[in-house]
Amino acid sequence: MRTSLTPGQNQTSTEPAGFADNGDPRAHILALLSGTWKFTALHAFVDLRCADHLQSGPLTIEELADRCQADPTSLGRLLRTAAALHLVATVRPGTYALTDAGTLLCTTSMDSMRPGVVVMGEPTSWEAMGTLAQTVRTGTSPIAAAHGSLYEYYHRRPELLQAFEAWMTSRSRAFAESLVAAHDFTGVRTVADVGGGNGTILAAILEAHPQTSGILFELDQVLPGAKSYLTSRGIAERCDLVAGDFFTAVPAGADVYVLANVVHNWDDEDALRILRAVRDAMTGGSRALFLDYLLPDDDQPHFGKFMDMRMLALFGGGRERTHAEYLALLDRAGLRADHITALPVGAGLIQASRLPD
């Protein structure tokens, strides 16, 4: 059983009355401070597997505490907060049911966002975010300094790597749906997904366009999982899986090259190496599609600006870029941005072509 919010309930703000930013700068700072408290409540809700236990229907605090092996009084306080965050709703006093948002935290949910909470809340990442000031002072991510890169850190921890890959797959589904809706692939014979992980985005394109074949270009160790995934989607026979290093070369001759959430992982010099490899592989009629957060060039609020703080803390050189910074990078790589589309997932889609030599 899931509970939707009833008409009249606040569906956008999680601030109690008198706390929301109402022009008082003190209220604004308090609202910012509460971000940490909200996330810790979210992480505790996930770590205790509350959503999994509530998936089959409403439970009392005592029933849920027994299943979570938790203190009933403390759990009651957590659930009260989870209700304020619209993860659960009160069915009757002391009994809670999942909301639609809370269902996204179930392990078995198709679009589960649970792995994202696990990844964000694991101790090393949490500590890195908490020492952001030191990263700003030194310009060096503590994870990059200690482990080489965030990916190397994950690869030494199989359970964490599994959660990270699940989170990337969940995010990619949203990007894939937006890309297929926003871009016309009519007449495209071959799509190369560069750094495409398990092939979630490529699969969505091929399913929507039966006349198109695909190339998934990834590291050798990623391809076995990608093959299993593409087989499960029934399109493996239309895909070539190619192992390689996108810093040096990518498969030549595709009609469309897709790079989704790739460029933002790297500093400008490494990003240029990737972009130039793509440019070298393109023909005069090819086009490249880049999906990344494109930050406004002014002070407008944007989700990508907050994401950039995560990039700063956790990645060695990765960063989100403004429109101007991204387009300048493409130009340096010999690519021209022909069209930019804002996607519902908050990212931007840049269609680019190869500049003449």
Side-chain angles (χ1 to χ4, degrees), residues 131-152:
T131 56
L132 182 62
Q134 183 62 13
T135 299
V136 173
R137 289 188 185 99
T138 64
T140 302
S141 159
I143 287 183
H147 303 282
S149 74
L150 184 65
Y151 299 114
E152 291 177 63

Side-chain angles (χ1 to χ4, degrees), residues 37-157:
W37 310 332
K38 293 173 189 174
F39 179 75
T40 54
L42 171 64
H43 187 263
F45 187 85
V46 164
D47 195 49
L48 291 166
R49 296 186 177 271
C50 293
D52 288 338
H53 294 307
L54 288 167
Q55 191 172 18
S56 58
L59 294 172
T60 66
I61 294 172
E62 290 74 19
E63 289 170 334
L64 185 56
D66 182 62
R67 300 187 188 191
C68 294
Q69 296 297 292
D71 172 65
T73 301
S74 299
L75 181 62
R77 294 166 66 183
L78 176 64
L79 292 172
R80 179 176 63 192
T81 302
L85 295 173
H86 309 313
L87 303 177
V88 296
T90 301
V91 176
R92 52 188 171 272
T95 300
Y96 291 91
L98 281 180
T99 62
D100 289 341
T103 301
L104 290 174
L105 301 173
C106 293
T107 305
T108 57
S109 172
M110 172 64 72
D111 294 312
S112 180
M113 300 181 78
R114 183 182 188 279
V117 181
V118 171
V119 167
M120 301 294 180
E122 66 90 20
T124 299
S125 296
W126 184 247
E127 181 180 356
M129 293 302 302
T131 56
L132 182 62
Q134 183 62 13
T135 299
V136 173
R137 289 188 185 99
T138 64
T140 302
S141 159
I143 287 183
H147 303 282
S149 74
L150 184 65
Y151 299 114
E152 291 177 63
Y153 171 71
Y154 287 152
H155 274 281
R156 297 189 191 105
R157 293 157 181 81

Side-chain angles (χ1 to χ4, degrees), residues 293-329:
Y293 290 111
L294 296 177
L295 311 186
D297 292 305
D298 57 21
D299 291 337
Q300 293 179 57
H302 190 281
F303 178 77
K305 293 182 178 180
F306 309 129
M307 174 70 81
D308 194 39
M309 295 299 94
R310 176 177 178 268
M311 301 298 294
L312 180 60
L314 302 185
F315 286 76
R319 56 178 299 176
E320 308 299 346
R321 294 176 172 86
T322 66
H323 281 76
E325 290 169 339
Y326 212 114
L327 298 190
L329 201 62

Side-chain angles (χ1 to χ4, degrees), residues 249-263:
V250 303
D255 299 318
V256 175
Y257 289 85
V258 175
L259 287 86
N261 292 309
V262 171
V263 176

